[in-house]
Amino acid sequence: MTRYTVGLVWVMVVLSACSSGDQVARTECAAPVSESVGSNPLVPGIFTADPAVLVDDCTFYITAGHDEGVTDFSLKDWYVLSSSDLVTWSYRGGPVMSVDVFSWADANAWASQMVEKDSVFYWYVPVNKIDGGMAIGVARADSPLGPFVDAIGAPLVDDVIEMAANGYEFDYQTVYTIDPTVLVEEDGRAYLTYGGFGRMVTIELGADMISLKGELVEETPEHFFEAPYLVKKDSNYYLVYAGQINPATIDYATASSPFGPWTYRGRIMEPLPNLPGEDYATSHPAIAEFAGQWYLVYHRSDGEGGGTYRRQVAMDKLFFNEDGTIQPVVPSSGIRF
Ligand code: FUB
């Protein structure tokens, strides 16, 4: 039984520029053509999960895992979907990076995020270590389309590092080392947040983006399940995440620091449907601004040929109210611009 499965059972029982990497909103990019219509899922022919967004050079990139599972997660590589009009999407004909890039890992190309700093692209990914346990690695490239190489040759964060940092005796005491999200501030400082099964941690990254600086700060927003996604807007930090338990909602919280404490703000999306006979659907959000409009990117499990372990990435417009709160989003069959 994987730690994900064990954790899921536990939760069920307990019930308890132009870079979005640095979150710089570039409104000079051309907006999608008025009255054009997108489609959801964005690329119907492939199964993609756990989206994150990077806007670079007026191109909207979505990094996503390649879902190949039937009754459980099976992901060995990651896609990069891209579009400049948010209607026509390309995916380079196949995955851009695989678990094989990390010599110390052997499986689980799970929820990742790519960011840019000083024209270098860093891709933070959770993978299964050959000697056991999930860990976060980081790959580096000069282009969002690669080729990517392991930037360290070892995990950036794993249970060993977390146990030493926290004085834990057992690996099960650590926060689940999955679902990394990275925020690069305008001053170049960067923060890594990760976690799952109701616990979340944030730590500052070194200036080189491939080392840790400071302490692991465990500060978890209310209703957090997994899939944190950290952005900054108008001096406020927004954390969007899969809430409750599968079938997960998409909820959000805000804070005046990337370390929290987080104030729960509400629900953005209700639980997504799963196909009959399938496990409850997961949820995984990313939000980003492009040409002056914010978007919610997420995955769905009810597409043709799809399922809970054959998910597909979709997106819809996202609207902020004047007081900074976010309006609920209802999944559509495609954005109308
Ligand atoms: O894709 C594997 C896992 O499913 C991710 O790590 C979670 O966020 C959930 O989407």
Side-chain angles (χ1 to χ4, degrees):
M1 191 180 266
T2 65
R3 179 162 168 172
Y4 190 95
T5 318
V6 171
L8 191 56
V9 169
W10 179 84
V11 172
M12 291 173 82
V13 171
V14 178
L15 260 191
S16 59
C18 233
S19 167
S20 71
D22 57 13
Q23 313 300 333
V24 175
R26 296 283 184 84
T27 50
E28 65 264 31
C29 298
V33 175
S34 178
E35 296 188 18
S36 61
V37 184
S39 65
N40 279 330
L42 300 180
V43 186
I46 55 171
F47 297 110
T48 50
D50 303 326
V53 175
L54 168 73
V55 180
D56 182 67
D57 198 18
C58 289
T59 300
F60 197 97
Y61 293 96
I62 299 174
T63 49
H66 177 199
D67 243 352
E68 300 183 276
V70 179
T71 57
D72 203 350
F73 296 121
S74 176
L75 304 97
K76 297 190 279 287
D77 38 35
W78 296 269
Y79 276 99
V80 178
L81 315 182
S82 63
S83 178
S84 53
D85 62 10
L86 306 190
V87 170
T88 311
W89 292 87
S90 65
Y91 62 95
R92 311 293 290 184
V96 165
M97 185 170 75
S98 93
V99 165
D100 295 341
V101 162
F102 304 94
S103 61
W104 45 270
D106 62 0
N108 295 356
W110 286 5
S112 67
Q113 184 173 0
M114 189 193 300
V115 298
E116 180 267 341
K117 183 183 174 189
D118 300 333
S119 301
V120 178
F121 296 85
Y122 299 90
W123 201 345
Y124 298 84
V125 299
V127 284
N128 190 67
K129 289 203 304 180
I130 289 171
D131 58 2
M134 291 295 286
I136 294 168
V138 53
R140 181 166 50 196
D142 294 332
S143 156
L145 298 175
F148 282 89
V149 294
D150 186 351
I152 305 175
L156 172 66
V157 189
D158 65 4
D159 285 346
V160 177
I161 292 169
E162 293 164 295
M163 287 165 67
N166 290 302
Y168 293 148
E169 195 177 346
F170 305 104
D171 57 5
Y172 63 74
Q173 294 174 288
T174 65
V175 169
Y176 199 16
T177 320
I178 65 165
D179 293 2
T181 176
V182 172
L183 169 69
V184 186
E185 299 260 32
E186 289 177 31
D187 64 3
R189 293 176 77 172
Y191 303 92
L192 165 71
T193 297
Y194 63 90
F197 296 115
R199 290 175 66 191
M200 197 188 85
V201 159
T202 299
I203 188 165
E204 187 171 354
L205 291 173
D208 60 5
M209 298 293 282
I210 61 170
S211 60
L212 303 175
K213 182 178 171 184
E215 293 180 1
L216 291 162
V217 177
E218 184 170 348
E219 190 73 49
T220 307
E222 211 177 336
H223 305 305
F224 173 80
F225 177 45
E226 60 181 5
Y229 199 81
L230 180 64
V231 303
K232 189 176 184 184
K233 180 179 185 296
D234 302 333
S235 303
N236 293 313
Y237 296 86
Y238 283 77
L239 192 89
V240 184
Y241 49 91
Q244 327 296 328
I245 187 175
N246 294 332
T249 55
I250 294 177
D251 291 5
Y252 75 109
T254 59
S256 57
S257 155
F259 294 103
W262 297 100
T263 301
Y264 180 75
R265 295 290 181 189
R267 184 167 299 177
I268 300 175
M269 191 175 271
E270 296 296 330
L272 291 160
N274 53 277
L275 293 174
E278 294 269 333
D279 290 344
Y280 285 137
T282 62
S283 216
H284 197 106
I287 66 171
E289 187 178 20
F290 183 77
Q293 170 68 52
W294 281 81
Y295 296 92
L296 170 69
V297 187
Y298 55 99
H299 63 217
R300 306 187 54 143
S301 303
D302 59 347
E304 192 180 338
T308 298
Y309 306 108
R310 293 175 308 286
R311 299 162 287 185
Q312 293 174 305
V313 169
M315 69 188 276
D316 279 294
K317 288 182 182 172
L318 182 81
F319 294 97
F320 286 83
N321 296 311
E322 286 201 354
D323 64 1
T325 54
I326 297 176
Q327 297 179 10
V329 175
V330 176
S332 79
S333 57
I335 299 178
R336 295 186 167 272
F337 294 101

